[in-house]
Amino acid sequence: MTKLLSVRLVAILVGLGFAFVALFAFVIGAYNAATEETAAHVPYEKPMDIAFSFDGPFGKWDKAQLQRGLKVYDEVCSACHSLKFVAFRNLEELGYDEGQVKAYAASKQVPGIDPNTGEAAMRPGLPTDYFPSPYPNAVAAAAANNNAIPPDLSLITKARGDGTNYVASLLMGYQAPSEELLAEHPEAAPGPGLHHNPYFPNLNLAMAPPLTTDGQVTYDDGTEATIEQMSKDVAAFLTWTAEPTLVKRKQTGWPVLIFLLFATILAYMSKQQIWAAVKPKKD
Amino acid sequence: MSFPWAREYQPSNGFTRFLDEKLPLPRLVYNAVGAGYPVPRNLSYFWNFGVLAGFFLVLQIVTGVVLAMHYAANAQVAFATTEHIMRNVNWGWMMRYAHANGASFFFIVVYMHIFRGLFYSSYKAPREMIWLLGVVIFLLMMATAFMGYVLPWGQMSFWGAKVITGLFGAIPLIGEPIQIWLLGGFAPDNAALNRFFSLHFLLPFVIAGVVILHIWALHIPGSSNPTGVEVKSESDTVPFHPYYTAKDGFGLGVILLAYFAMVFFLPNALGHPDNYIEANPLSTPAHIVPEWYFWPFYAILRAFTVDFILPAKLWGVIAMFASILLWFFLPWLDKSPVRSGHYRPLFRKFFWFGLIPTMIVLFICGGAPAEEPYVMLSQIATAYYFLHFLVILPIISSVEKPEPLPYSITEAVLGSDKKAVLGENTTPAV
Amino acid sequence: MADTTATASTETVAQTDDGIRRRDFLDIAAIGAAGVGGVFIVYPLVSQMAPSKDVLAASSTEVDVSSIEPGQAIKAVFRKQPLFVKRLTDAEIAAANATATGSLRDPQSLEDRTKEGHRDILVTMGVCTHLGCVPLGAAEGEVKGEYGGYFCPCHGSHYDTAGRIRKGPAPTNLEVPEYEFTSDTVIQVG
């Protein structure tokens, strides 16, 4: 008994020790918080809530939109951003046929070797090749962009919170900082080589506005290429590159859930029947 | 090992008779989770979570072995092979989402299992060993989950590995050599990734082994139950099969509905976007947070911000490990003769209005950036956490006056008429 | 023990004792050998986890500091970890020297942290001493924290112009690695 008491006594002392140190830190922290000013966060905007065809549990790709998005990537983004996890063959999923994919791949130069000398050389792409990177390596990318390396876009919509909306909002969001913001947070003014964008977490990013004029890209399907349209289309395309299986995933989910619901109801009825004999009578 | 009225296995045909003589595996299963295991008849749905945890362990091993067929543990290609699984491998995306969300659901059911044990004091004699083995399983799960999260080699993988191995660096003198030894280098790289993969593959089988010990230890006293009153007679129990196999089957259906809803419709909701960025040792993410199931313990780690005899960092590390290790001592700290929280008015109040809100606060603070008010909230919650288990629990177990217990499980289930028949008093039967 | 039968009976007792002792000794020696063998097995098993030869080989780095302008810093890589080399401005040196060393969490003066004759070159690991993140403040346009040096975005540690911890959870100053000037403009780290 005395031994047990001592176990508990030790426990009480240890518990009081930890609690004391934690509360001591709390008091010091509270004192500092009361006496010192802490840097306030510069507020940034949450992405706009934009409706996409693939939203929601029944979402489907809008292939025409994905094709338009590919065109925006191809003509604008690909100058600086790679798309290294996407192969040309994947473009068949956007509704292109084999011949179109082959032709598109062949229009791109990918790194290879000269078959005669073995030296590094560029060659036309094949459907099995992946989208080539605009820069040979990260150092070249940094050197060409004032030390800010343009990120690979394959996974960008999964690598940012609320990614699809974020990409679209960011592309539409370039603007001069407002007077009130600058009055309240003078440090939020864009430095040299930086551009103000309220959707970017620290408000200033190195990427210059990529979509600047309506009609910058000429859509094959005749859709009017406003900045808003181009932003949404490329955001949709990058959602597809980040997760080509998104629609298949949702479509697989429904039969699985319906089957499970059915099986669970059966399991419940079977459980009720088995337990009926031993359940207390309700009276 | 079991109650005298436990049914005995009867081999029904020549083959099972032969098997029963040479390798009595069917008999073992029959006695473990079949009709040969009498279980209290009054178990609530909170008692489903042990079986569910076993299910998720198997699910993780199956999906994990499949993923290992396509994954390469090399810092150059780990991120790319993960994307290869997502894009090129047939149904690879489903296997990966099933494995990632399976880890989360494994922790959900295990936390339910642990807190059921805490409320009903399932750790008390004669079930101390079951509880101790359970804490061992939980520690192994944490190690396995941590190493698994490193494998995709995203930003959170890398920086999580760096921060967690950095904890060992807080140990005076030997800390830094230990950290370098654990990583096999000066920062997480190939050596670390490879050994984490090796151990991530091994540890689940170690967990499975300890789970067998956990179940073995359970079968010696038998399952506890919501009244905390021990089984007295055959009328207190029902055979595990078919009663609890049916009930667990239903419970499994419900949790699988939630699980597959996550896998197919919100597969990344519990993950962090930064882990879709490839690991980069030269760029630190703005907030480094572990997976959600570590948040309460991460909050305790970060709550110690002031040097007091020991450096603040060392306090945090000690407190984080202590917050789990103290569970080992619970059977000897809580000496109340009554097990179930239903009959312990004071304990019940501290559980629902102290411990549970504290865990929620710690959970929120652990996932939040290290700024006010989260730091101060986590400090108060951390203080309460230690006070609850190490001070409040031992004290209330001696000062509390428990409410009257039912005479038996049968009485609790069927009503009070039994009491009159048996003419027994209702003092705690311990 | 073939010779036991051939000896006189008077010696048997002594022989038996001796035999038992010899057997004990053999048992102990055998168990001891197994133990030594066990250590031989454990040693490589433990030491295989320590850094391998190629990792150790990459453990020293040379940095040319001549191109760094006052107020600027460069990021190099030392043992696959970031290394900050900064040329301090006069104002930054003055700010570092104006701080009373005794009031610091990790009392070090700028003198302790730089080399004789190169007081304006501050070489530190770019690794926060809290939990190992890379602090901001080395590259152009990055936040330098409340004390004008480095700021760790992970848990909010602020370092001053001499890389000393001033505020936040980090326990010690940014580590100054072992380095020397091999010429006036080149340092060798490690």
Side-chain angles (χ1 to χ4, degrees):
Chain A
M1 196 61 217
T2 47
K3 196 176 147 213
L4 282 177
L5 188 67
S6 68
V7 170
R8 291 154 81 189
L9 204 63
V10 170
I12 289 173
L13 291 175
V14 170
L16 288 173
F18 277 117
F20 171 76
V21 179
L23 289 175
F24 181 64
F26 168 76
V27 171
I28 302 269
Y31 174 76
N32 287 344
T35 52
E36 287 175 25
E37 253 182 80
T38 46
H41 281 281
V42 182
Y44 64 94
E45 306 270 332
K46 287 216 150 53
M48 289 180 268
D49 199 5
I50 301 164
F52 285 98
S53 64
F54 45 82
D55 287 342
F58 300 102
K60 284 204 168 54
W61 300 121
D62 174 353
K63 287 189 179 169
Q65 185 180 37
L66 298 186
Q67 294 194 359
R68 292 196 299 270
L70 169 64
K71 192 147 196 211
V72 177
Y73 169 76
D74 191 44
E75 293 183 13
V76 183
C77 319
S78 69
C80 305
H81 291 278
S82 58
L83 200 63
K84 63 180 176 184
F85 293 118
V86 183
F88 296 123
R89 63 184 158 79
N90 299 133
L91 295 177
E92 282 189 40
E93 292 167 35
L94 301 191
Y96 295 107
D97 62 37
E98 217 181 312
Q100 286 171 307
V101 169
K102 225 169 175 171
Y104 182 81
S107 73
K108 304 287 170 196
Q109 291 288 309
V110 300
I113 53 166
D114 186 308
N116 299 317
T117 63
E119 277 172 23
M122 297 306 272
R123 61 167 174 79
L126 296 170
T128 48
D129 286 319
Y130 286 75
F131 273 79
S133 169
Y135 304 104
N137 51 51
V139 178
N145 292 283
N146 190 24
N147 264 345
I149 300 176
D152 182 79
L153 292 185
S154 320
L155 283 162
I156 200 78
T157 57
K158 275 162 105 181
R160 300 289 183 273
D162 194 11
T164 307
N165 286 332
Y166 169 80
V167 168
S169 304
L170 189 83
L171 291 174
M172 288 186 250
Y174 283 93
Q175 55 189 264
S178 67
E179 298 288 333
E180 305 95 82
L181 179 78
L182 289 181
E184 222 174 302
H185 300 280
E187 75 276 15
L194 296 176
H195 307 270
H196 181 79
N197 194 316
Y199 299 100
F200 193 67
N202 69 21
L203 298 182
N204 291 297
L205 78 165
M207 176 169 75
L211 301 172
T212 48
T213 50
D214 291 348
Q216 193 171 342
V217 172
T218 310
Y219 284 140
D220 302 329
D221 63 359
T223 307
E224 196 190 342
T226 58
I227 290 179
E228 187 186 340
Q229 186 67 42
M230 290 186 288
S231 303
K232 287 178 183 174
D233 290 347
V234 80
F237 171 71
L238 292 176
T239 308
W240 172 77
T241 63
E243 191 166 6
T245 54
L246 184 146
V247 168
K248 189 185 182 191
R249 159 161 75 71
K250 291 176 178 177
Q251 286 173 347
T252 314
W254 281 111
V256 170
L257 288 190
I258 290 165
F259 167 78
L260 260 176
L261 188 67
F262 179 68
T264 306
I265 292 169
L266 273 184
Y268 180 72
M269 294 195 302
S270 138
K271 179 241 153 195
Q272 288 299 86
Q273 191 226 334
I274 285 166
W275 279 83
V278 296
K279 271 277 163 79
K281 313 255 176 325
K282 288 200 176 82
D283 45 22
Chain B
M1 171 165 166
S2 189
F3 301 107
W5 57 85
R7 288 188 208 165
E8 208 199 331
Y9 175 64
Q10 302 290 350
S12 53
N13 57 39
F15 176 69
T16 49
R17 263 193 300 280
F18 170 82
L19 204 59
D20 195 42
E21 214 170 273
K22 312 295 174 194
L23 180 74
L25 196 61
R27 179 179 292 271
L28 183 80
V29 173
Y30 184 89
N31 289 335
V33 290
Y37 177 43
V39 186
R41 61 190 292 172
N42 60 335
L43 301 189
S44 70
Y45 278 105
F46 281 105
W47 265 258
N48 279 41
F49 291 100
V51 166
L52 295 180
F55 172 84
F56 277 103
L57 174 63
V58 173
L59 180 91
Q60 287 304 84
I61 289 178
V62 170
T63 52
V65 167
V66 168
L67 289 170
M69 294 179 184
H70 304 280
Y71 169 81
N74 181 300
Q76 299 295 320
V77 297
F79 189 81
T81 56
T82 308
E83 275 309 307
H84 161 71
I85 291 170
M86 295 297 286
R87 288 158 193 270
N88 295 324
V89 175
N90 300 319
W91 297 100
W93 58 270
M94 190 173 80
M95 291 299 163
R96 173 150 184 261
Y97 282 151
H99 196 68
N101 286 286
S104 284
F105 272 75
F106 195 2
F107 273 94
I108 290 172
V109 297
V110 162
Y111 278 130
M112 292 301 287
H113 193 56
I114 291 171
F115 278 85
R116 190 270 291 157
L118 288 174
F119 183 76
Y120 292 101
S121 309
S122 302
Y123 45 78
K124 278 183 192 164
R127 297 186 181 79
E128 304 98 316
M129 186 52 79
I130 312 171
W131 174 259
L132 299 182
L133 290 166
V135 180
V136 170
I137 292 170
F138 182 63
L139 290 170
L140 288 169
M141 274 177 69
M142 293 179 93
T144 310
F146 158 68
M147 288 190 279
Y149 195 55
V150 175
L151 302 184
W153 209 238
Q155 275 287 68
M156 278 298 156
S157 302
F158 179 89
W159 290 96
K162 187 147 187 179
V163 169
I164 299 297
T165 54
L167 298 180
F168 291 91
I171 305 168
L173 297 174
I174 54 165
E176 207 180 314
I178 287 180
Q179 186 189 345
I180 290 170
W181 177 75
L182 283 173
L183 289 173
F186 303 95
D189 205 346
N190 255 337
L193 180 59
N194 259 307
R195 70 190 52 176
F196 283 5
F197 179 55
S198 167
L199 294 174
H200 183 71
F201 207 115
L202 168 72
L203 285 186
F205 297 96
V206 177
I207 292 176
V210 184
V211 166
I212 288 170
L213 299 182
H214 188 67
I215 298 172
W216 185 4
L218 169 71
H219 280 68
I220 290 168
S223 301
S224 71
N225 70 83
T227 65
V229 176
E230 287 295 335
V231 167
K232 288 193 172 65
S233 65
E234 188 170 1
S235 68
D236 288 346
T237 66
V238 290
F240 189 87
H241 179 74
Y243 291 97
Y244 285 106
T245 40
K247 196 169 177 178
D248 287 334
F250 169 57
L252 182 64
V254 172
I255 198 100
L256 283 184
L257 274 170
Y259 168 68
F260 280 112
M262 292 294 293
V263 167
F264 288 111
F265 296 100
L266 292 165
N268 295 308
L270 296 171
H272 196 291
D274 279 6
N275 228 28
Y276 281 108
I277 305 171
E278 193 167 0
N280 181 356
L282 298 179
S283 156
T284 315
H287 307 137
I288 297 181
V289 284
E291 286 278 82
W292 68 266
Y293 35 79
F294 292 135
W295 285 355
F297 306 102
Y298 195 56
I300 291 176
L301 170 76
R302 294 191 302 181
F304 292 83
T305 52
V306 173
D307 297 350
F308 180 78
I309 305 171
L310 300 175
K313 183 174 161 184
L314 187 56
W315 269 113
V317 173
I318 293 172
M320 184 182 72
F321 284 110
S323 67
I324 300 168
L325 295 180
L326 66 83
W327 290 354
F328 278 119
F329 298 93
L330 285 187
W332 297 278
L333 295 179
D334 178 3
K335 296 309 286 184
S336 169
V338 176
R339 291 195 186 86
S340 169
H342 287 311
Y343 303 98
R344 302 181 59 189
L346 207 51
F347 170 88
R348 197 166 57 215
K349 283 195 188 76
F350 278 104
F351 184 87
W352 288 118
F353 302 110
L355 184 62
I356 296 297
T358 296
M359 293 310 294
I360 293 170
V361 168
L362 286 175
F363 174 78
I364 293 168
C365 293
E371 54 196 40
E372 304 303 353
Y374 302 112
V375 177
M376 294 206 283
L377 275 175
S378 71
Q379 285 161 340
I380 295 175
T382 299
Y384 182 80
Y385 181 92
F386 283 101
L387 288 176
H388 181 90
F389 284 111
L390 295 175
V391 180
I392 294 170
L393 213 52
I395 290 176
I396 56 176
S397 66
S398 19
V399 302
E400 175 181 62
K401 189 173 178 297
E403 288 159 5
L405 288 171
Y407 167 71
S408 70
I409 293 170
T410 310
E411 185 203 284
V413 175
L414 297 180
S416 57
D417 53 289
K418 272 259 165 162
K419 189 165 71 179
V421 174
L422 293 162
E424 289 279 342
N425 61 28
T426 54
T427 46
V430 178
Chain C
M1 313 274 166
D3 60 338
T4 314
T5 49
T7 48
S9 60
T10 47
E11 287 171 22
T12 314
V13 176
Q15 282 254 332
T16 313
D17 278 354
D18 197 37
I20 289 167
R21 259 186 242 119
R22 196 187 305 153
R23 266 204 296 279
D24 280 354
F25 173 75
L26 279 173
D27 289 353
I28 291 164
I31 294 166
V36 171
V39 172
F40 278 138
I41 293 168
V42 167
Y43 177 75
L45 285 179
V46 170
S47 94
Q48 56 84 20
M49 275 178 69
S52 55
K53 292 191 184 76
D54 57 334
V55 172
L56 289 173
S59 61
S60 117
T61 306
E62 282 194 348
V63 181
D64 183 353
V65 299
S66 58
S67 63
I68 311 170
E69 297 292 323
Q72 282 192 342
I74 55 170
K75 287 184 187 178
V77 177
F78 171 57
R79 294 180 181 168
K80 293 203 173 177
Q81 295 184 93
L83 179 79
F84 293 164
V85 184
K86 192 176 201 173
R87 193 184 289 274
L88 303 175
T89 60
D90 291 342
E92 283 171 336
I93 294 172
N97 287 332
T99 309
T101 310
S103 67
L104 298 174
R105 182 177 303 171
D106 183 8
Q108 274 187 316
S109 64
L110 186 63
E111 233 101 291
D112 301 332
R113 296 173 60 77
T114 50
K115 299 279 182 209
E116 184 67 51
H118 299 279
R119 291 292 175 219
D120 57 338
I121 297 289
L122 178 68
V123 182
T124 60
M125 299 305 300
V127 179
C128 178
T129 54
H130 180 227
L131 290 171
C133 303
V134 180
L136 302 174
E140 200 74 23
E142 285 182 352
V143 185
K144 293 184 175 213
E146 290 175 28
Y147 295 88
Y150 298 104
F151 168 71
C152 180
C154 292
H155 302 99
S157 290
H158 297 257
Y159 297 91
D160 67 9
T161 51
R164 296 175 296 196
I165 179 64
R166 297 296 288 274
K167 187 178 172 186
T172 55
N173 301 336
L174 286 181
E175 189 193 343
V176 176
E178 275 186 45
Y179 71 96
E180 57 188 21
F181 279 85
T182 50
S183 76
D184 255 8
T185 57
V186 177
I187 57 169
Q188 185 181 348
V189 190

